[in-house]
């Protein structure tokens, strides 16, 4: 069977974009078979329209029962990567094409993502970046070492960039929750 590997990066709050991208790949004849959320492995298949859905699975839920619940609703289990579970279903007229039954179940998933140490990681990255910058600028810790003397400020800056990206993902998730909590009346 013909396979291909695609490198793609999606932030923790960009799972909707990931779902749409996987649907496009399947429509182009490539079915997802494996991922580590940085590299995606696909195998050649018939070009068809499938819906992909991701769910953020909590620890403590029996995996067999969890997967069976989705399969009973017509979803095919694809794989699990970290806490993310991937499901797909052939697009058909008249079928509900979401694994979520209502906006409250979406809010629940978004909240699980937010509470999954994401904010703590953001704060930790910021503190490490501040510590490295402080050591590089105000102490002699890295002075005279040549490489480290010039590299440490840049390493500290890279932690600030990572903090910025992580904070943006956190803010995006919070906005998604707020939009679902107060839907605009049409």
């Amino acid at each position: 069977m013909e396979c291909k590997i695609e490198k793609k990066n999606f932030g923790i709050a960009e799972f909707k974009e990931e779902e749409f991208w996987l649907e496009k790949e399947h429509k182009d004849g490539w079915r997802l078979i494996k991922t580590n959320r940085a590299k995606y492995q696909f195998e050649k298949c018939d070009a068809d329209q499938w819906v992909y859905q991701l769910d953020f699975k909590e620890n403590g839920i029996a995996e067999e029962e969890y997967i069976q619940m989705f399969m009973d609703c017509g979803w095919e289990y694809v794989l699990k990567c970290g806490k993310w579970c991937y499901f797909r279903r052939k697009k058909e007229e008249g079928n509900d094409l979401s694994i979520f039954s209502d906006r409250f179940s979406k809010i629940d998933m978004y909240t699980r993502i937010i509470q999954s140490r994401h904010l703590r990681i953001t704060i930790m990255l910021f503190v490490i970046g501040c510590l490295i910058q402080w050591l590089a600028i105000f102490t002699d810790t890295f002075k005279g070492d040549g490489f480290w003397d010039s590299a440490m400020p840049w390493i500290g800056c890279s932690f600030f960039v990572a903090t910025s990206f992580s904070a943006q993902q956190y803010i995006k998730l919070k906005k998604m929750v707020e939009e679902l909590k107060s839907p605009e009346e049409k």
Side-chain angles (χ1 to χ4, degrees):
M1 179 73 52
E2 185 180 352
C3 291
K4 76 172 184 173
I5 294 177
E6 293 278 333
K7 292 181 181 180
K8 199 90 160 160
N9 287 312
F10 294 98
I12 196 163
E14 296 170 336
F15 54 91
K16 286 290 181 200
E17 291 86 346
E18 185 177 1
E19 290 171 351
F20 292 130
W21 178 69
L22 293 171
E23 290 172 13
K24 183 191 170 302
E25 288 292 325
H26 206 122
K27 188 176 180 180
D28 292 342
W30 294 101
R31 171 180 38 232
L32 176 68
I33 57 171
K34 187 176 180 182
T35 186
N36 64 5
R37 291 190 52 89
K39 288 182 184 177
Y40 294 79
Q41 185 174 349
F42 297 91
E43 69 179 6
K44 192 75 173 153
C45 66
D46 293 332
D48 210 348
Q49 290 199 350
W50 285 69
V51 175
Y52 280 78
Q53 295 276 287
L54 278 68
D55 191 30
F56 196 79
K57 183 184 172 301
E58 289 181 277
N59 289 333
I61 299 174
E63 195 155 333
E64 297 81 27
E65 294 172 20
Y66 170 80
I67 292 170
Q68 189 61 49
M69 175 182 68
F70 288 102
M71 290 175 65
D72 290 345
C73 293
W75 290 92
E76 175 185 334
Y77 173 72
V78 180
L79 60 94
K80 181 179 178 196
C81 179
K83 291 188 176 189
W84 289 100
C85 291
Y86 291 69
F87 298 94
R88 67 178 159 227
R89 182 178 187 171
K90 189 169 174 67
K91 201 178 256 190
E92 298 171 354
E93 294 298 319
N95 280 344
D96 179 18
L97 299 177
S98 176
I99 59 174
F100 302 103
S101 57
D102 56 20
R103 67 186 176 101
F104 299 108
S105 57
K106 287 181 184 180
I107 291 171
D108 181 53
M109 185 188 88
Y110 299 172
T111 304
R112 286 192 312 254
I113 297 169
I114 290 169
Q115 294 172 346
S116 70
R117 293 181 242 122
H118 187 72
L119 183 59
R120 286 181 264 166
I121 290 170
T122 303
I123 293 168
M124 182 183 69
L125 290 171
F126 181 74
V127 169
I128 291 170
C130 288
L131 178 64
I132 290 172
Q133 291 297 68
W134 183 79
L135 288 171
I137 295 170
F138 298 110
T139 71
D140 291 335
T141 304
F142 303 113
K143 301 293 185 230
D145 289 7
F147 172 77
W148 290 111
D149 185 30
S150 59
M152 287 314 285
W154 292 107
I155 293 170
C157 286
S158 69
F159 275 94
F160 290 135
V161 170
T163 299
S164 172
F165 180 74
S166 185
Q168 288 172 352
Q169 295 297 301
Y170 177 78
I171 291 166
K172 184 176 180 179
L173 279 167
K174 290 296 270 183
K175 284 181 181 177
M176 291 164 69
V177 169
E178 291 304 316
E179 287 172 6
L180 285 169
K181 282 185 177 178
S182 58
E184 296 176 5
E185 294 188 21
K186 296 180 181 178

